[in-house]
Structure formats: C-alpha cells, structure tokens
Amino acid sequence: PEPPRHSDPADPGPGAPGGLFAWLRGRCLGRGAAVDPARDTFGAMTGLYGAIQPADSVSLSTRTHGAVFNLEYSPDGSVLTVACEQTEVLLFDPISSKHIKTLSEAHEDCVNNIRFLDNRLFATCSDDTTIALWDLRKLNTKVCTLHGHTSWVKNIEYDTNTRLLVTSGFDGNVIIWDTNRCTEDGCPHKKFFHTRFLMRMRLTPDCSKMLISTSSGYLLILHDLDLNKSLEVGSYPILRARRTTSSSDITSSGSSGPRAVGSPCHQSNSGPLSEKTLSRPSQREGGSPRNSLEVLTPEVPGERDRGNCITSLQLHPKGWATLLRCSSNTDDQEWTCVYEFQEGAPVRPVSPRCSLRLTHCIEEANVGRGYIKELCFSPDGRMISSPHGFGIRLLGFDAHCSELVDCLPREASPLREIRSLYSHNDVVLTTKFSPTHCQIASGCLSGRVSLYQPKF
C-alpha cells in the first residue's frame, strides 16, 4: 500500500508529488518528521563540546618549532599533524597526547598546510614552492616532491573521485597533480586556473565546485567542476559578478550591480572586467556549462563601502555553506561569516546570478594583525571553532547548535557563542575538530598546541 501522506506540505511523504527520492532528500536534510537517526548522536556530541572546560586542555610540546600554521587529523582520527613555521611537521597521537614523530626539515621553508589523501598518505606544502607526499608507514623519507609552483604554496585539496591532487599558491596558479601516476621523481601535472591575489582555494565535499578567495575581497566559484580540462585565458564562461545578498536584498526591488573595481581574473591586460564581458551569455538550459566562473564580492557587515581581504575559507561538511574569515584592508576589523549556497536560476530574471547568501556573522577579536587565522566546522557542521585572541570560540547558528538548514534566518543573524576556551599565551592561528572524537585542537603563534576534550 502507498505510505500515508504527511499533513505538512513542506514535508511530503513518499507518495506525495516529487516521489520517493524527494521525500528521502528531505529526510536526509532533517526537514521532515522522520529524520536521520544520526542527528541524535550529533546532539549528544554538541552537549559534550559544550561541557569542555579550558582547564581540561592538554598542552603538546612543540619546543622551538615556531608558530603553528595548520593542524590536520587523519580521517580515522588516529594522528594529529602539525605544520610548523620552522620547516618541520610534528605528528601526535591525539588520544594519548603522545609525540609520535618529527619530520625534521620536511621543507626548506615554512610548512603552510597539510592534507590527508587517505588514512596513510598525506601531503604538505611550503613557502619553498614545493609539495611533498608522505606515507605514515615510512616516514623516514618522502614518497616524492612535487615541483611546479613559482611562489609560496598555501593550499592543498584532493578530489577523491579522480584521485587528483589540487594545490594553489601566491603565484596565482591552481595546479592539478595526477597521483595515479606518481613516481619518486614527482607526478604529472598541469596548470588548471590562474587568478591574481589568490589566498585560499577549496573544493566542495562532492567536488562539484571550486571556491577561491582573494586578498582583494573577491570570491570566485567554478561551477560544475571538471578538473580534466585546463582553463586557459578566455576559455571559460563567466557568470555576472555581484555582491552576495542577504534575505532583505532578495526581497527588495533593487539589485546590486557589479562592483566597480578590477576583477582578479586574468582575462585581458586592459584591467577590470567590463559589464559587456560579465553579461556574456553563459548558461545552458537547465544549468551552467562546465567550469563556468562566478565572481562575487561577499557582503561583510560594516564593509559595504570599504575593501576587505578574505583570509580564510572553509566549506560546510555537507556542502550547504561556506565559512569565511574576512578582515578590512586597514586591518582594524575582522569578521567570521557564513554564506548559504543557493542553487538554480537567479531569484529574478533581471538580476545577476548570486550563489551565496549571508546568513550568519560575528565580529572577531582584532589581535595578531597580519596573521591568517584558520577556522573550521565541526564534523557534523553544527558548530564552528574560531581563533579568538589567545583562545578559541565555539560558535553555533543558534543557542541549541541546530543544523543550518533548520535555523536559516530571514535576514543575516549573529552567530551564537557556545563556549570560549583559553589556554594559550599567544595569538591562536589555527584550530581543528577531530573527525572521530570529541576533541578540538588549537595552535598559536608561539608554537603551543592545545587539545580540548571532556574530562570524566
């Protein structure tokens, strides 16, 4: 027999219009009466995070390794890696807080980022312009060293579908590495994309989009991503640039036009992208063409008439939103902002496309000017850990740490502070949630790493 229909029109049953798959999607998103049982587990984890006390932190000794620029857990949570200013990578057992290994002279300059490809293989990148591959089973030597960038390498991403490594640096290049054909001499690689002022690059969890943030305040989104196709100058469609909207912008009768400053994209040598260029037809029926480029200037509270720099960029683990840390060009303000992804056609046919909408934000402590503070989502996406002065703040979308899809505001709302944790004596630069345990790690400018976890 056909399952009974739900009375709530926003939550159709399997027999309702849209069919079984629409009902299952709503159930997965947590919008229906029958929700994913794992949500109860997430609620319990949120309660545990709320019970963490600063006194329960564990300090990991990093001696003279310099500032901690990045922290990364292995996917199974068994190893915590630390990227250090003084050319080294540290490995810890996060459960026992024991030091496992120091990769001395892992690079010839600062180690900026670490990314696990699986539970054993991980990559590191450095200001020495190289990327190194490492295997946890044999840490005495690198698997290989990758050469291709001409300036500091800052970001590493991995496409699990194609097994392609994606890196970006201050040379403005995004480079693709074929790890399927890796040898001791390196990996085949190609330049995929180039833009000016590149700061951070991320792939969405399903690897369908690439987001790139810039020091000039632009956010670039490559839609329907195809990493097998290099994007040369002028070879990719451009969607019209605009400032991201809040709900009030969507409901108003006006429309923000393109920002009247130069775009970071290298389309020509003549300077800014013109309105004619941005208005070029680029959408196919039913969606955008592969690798279509959208150029946005994300709305930042209090920054409508001032430039800003997007220093940190993270993605929601379910691909629902992007998380940005922005600072004003004068470095006198910092903000953490959450933007919801909006799929499909523009809200009004006459308005430019805008894929992001500001939903939540909070002003940050303005300390450690000039240093990038890396923030992150919790594994379930309900909480944000953000460096805040000499500690970290745990932030939620509401006081109950609800799912983002369950508490989307009509207008941009403040993020709620759930708890503040302070155990450092210097500015915190990075923080990370364990993917498997109720644990948070943070690292500071003086080189100290702290672990926070409930104490029973």
Side-chain angles (χ1 to χ4, degrees):
E2 181 180 298
R5 297 174 183 266
H6 291 239
S7 59
D8 183 0
D11 180 29
L20 178 62
F21 291 106
W23 178 79
L24 287 174
R25 182 175 181 273
R27 180 175 182 267
C28 178
L29 292 176
R31 291 177 170 144
V35 298
D36 189 344
R39 283 164 60 89
D40 294 334
T41 303
F42 295 158
M45 290 292 285
T46 300
L48 289 174
Y49 286 129
I52 291 176
Q53 298 294 332
D56 295 334
S57 66
V58 177
S59 178
L60 305 181
S61 173
T62 58
R63 297 196 300 265
T64 58
H65 303 291
V68 175
F69 286 158
N70 185 243
L71 298 165
E72 186 71 14
Y73 286 89
S74 61
D76 61 4
S78 63
V79 176
L80 172 64
T81 56
V82 182
C84 299
E85 178 184 16
Q86 301 296 333
T87 75
E88 297 181 334
V89 174
L90 308 179
L91 292 89
F92 291 92
D93 178 350
I95 307 303
S96 64
S97 305
K98 301 294 185 183
H99 176 251
I100 299 173
K101 179 79 172 178
T102 296
L103 304 180
S104 300
E105 298 181 359
H107 287 274
E108 296 179 0
D109 207 332
C110 304
V111 184
N112 296 316
N113 203 354
I114 302 174
R115 179 63 188 256
F116 275 86
L117 283 59
D118 53 37
N119 283 322
R120 296 290 179 263
L121 192 65
F122 66 94
T124 60
C125 64
S126 169
D127 282 358
D128 68 5
T129 76
T130 69
I131 302 98
L133 293 181
W134 305 84
D135 193 322
L136 287 177
R137 295 163 294 187
K138 188 182 178 182
L139 289 170
N140 293 330
T141 58
K142 303 175 185 177
V143 174
C144 64
T145 300
L146 310 181
H147 298 270
H149 285 280
T150 58
S151 186
W152 302 345
V153 188
K154 296 294 185 180
N155 308 275
I156 309 174
E157 289 288 285
Y158 184 62
D159 185 342
T160 54
N161 300 320
T162 60
R163 294 181 63 190
L164 293 174
L165 194 70
V166 189
T167 62
S168 67
F170 280 3
D171 56 4
N173 291 327
V174 177
I175 296 181
I176 308 297
W177 310 83
D178 187 357
T179 56
N180 297 301
R181 296 186 290 160
C182 219
T183 67
E184 292 182 356
D185 299 325
C187 293
H189 65 279
K190 62 180 180 181
K191 186 170 75 172
F192 175 73
F193 186 75
H194 180 85
T195 184
R196 292 177 289 175
F197 318 125
L198 190 152
M199 286 291 293
R200 291 289 182 262
M201 175 273 303
R202 296 284 183 263
L203 301 181
T204 54
D206 62 359
C207 299
S208 65
K209 296 181 179 67
M210 176 184 290
L211 280 75
I212 297 173
S213 66
T214 69
S215 59
S216 58
Y218 282 96
L219 186 67
L220 314 180
I221 306 178
L222 285 166
H223 293 271
D224 201 5
L225 191 64
D226 182 3
L227 294 177
N228 293 309
K229 180 182 178 181
S230 294
L231 300 181
E232 302 297 336
V233 173
S235 70
Y236 45 88
I238 301 179
L239 305 177
R240 295 178 67 186
R242 68 162 297 170
R243 181 180 294 278
T244 60
T245 59
S246 63
S247 296
S248 58
D249 295 327
I250 292 175
T251 56
S252 66
S253 59
S255 175
S256 301
R259 188 177 181 180
V261 298
S263 165
C265 303
H266 273 174
Q267 290 301 304
S268 66
N269 296 324
S270 58
L273 292 175
S274 66
E275 176 68 18
K276 180 178 179 180
T277 303
L278 294 173
S279 302
R280 181 172 53 190
S282 61
Q283 288 192 336
R284 63 170 183 248
E285 185 177 353
S288 303
R290 302 300 297 270
N291 292 331
S292 56
L293 175 66
E294 183 177 9
V295 185
L296 302 173
T297 52
E299 176 188 353
V300 178
E303 293 290 317
R304 285 187 175 274
D305 300 320
R306 304 166 61 189
N308 61 82
C309 174
I310 304 173
T311 58
S312 181
L313 166 66
Q314 300 293 338
L315 275 298
H316 190 282
K318 298 179 183 178
W320 295 341
T322 183
L323 176 66
L324 304 183
R325 183 75 168 252
C326 305
S327 64
S328 61
N329 282 344
T330 55
D331 258 356
D332 59 348
Q333 280 185 306
E334 281 191 322
W335 293 86
T336 289
C337 302
V338 178
Y339 301 85
E340 174 203 13
F341 276 108
Q342 299 183 108
E343 301 293 345
V347 177
R348 296 184 304 277
V350 297
S351 68
R353 174 171 179 160
C354 182
S355 291
L356 297 178
R357 178 177 74 93
L358 178 65
T359 62
H360 297 82
C361 57
I362 193 169
E363 189 169 4
E364 296 285 4
N366 187 33
V367 296
R369 297 185 183 187
Y371 286 95
I372 296 173
K373 290 90 175 181
E374 296 288 359
L375 64 178
C376 65
F377 278 107
S378 62
D380 58 14
R382 288 169 171 252
M383 299 180 71
I384 295 166
S385 181
S386 174
H388 188 73
F390 287 14
I392 61 175
R393 289 195 297 187
L394 301 184
L395 306 171
F397 303 116
D398 62 14
H400 306 291
C401 295
S402 301
E403 294 270 19
L404 176 62
V405 295
D406 292 334
C407 58
L408 284 172
R410 295 181 61 85
E411 297 183 1
S413 299
L415 287 165
R416 300 295 185 92
E417 183 176 335
I418 307 303
R419 184 169 294 275
S420 294
L421 304 171
Y422 294 96
S423 64
H424 292 273
N425 57 4
D426 211 333
V427 178
V428 173
L429 301 181
T430 182
T431 179
K432 185 71 70 172
F433 283 91
S434 166
T436 55
H437 299 85
C438 186
Q439 185 181 82
I440 309 168
S442 61
C444 72
L445 187 59
S446 62
R448 178 177 178 177
V449 177
S450 290
L451 299 179
Y452 307 91
Q453 53 197 18
K455 190 172 183 180
F456 302 101

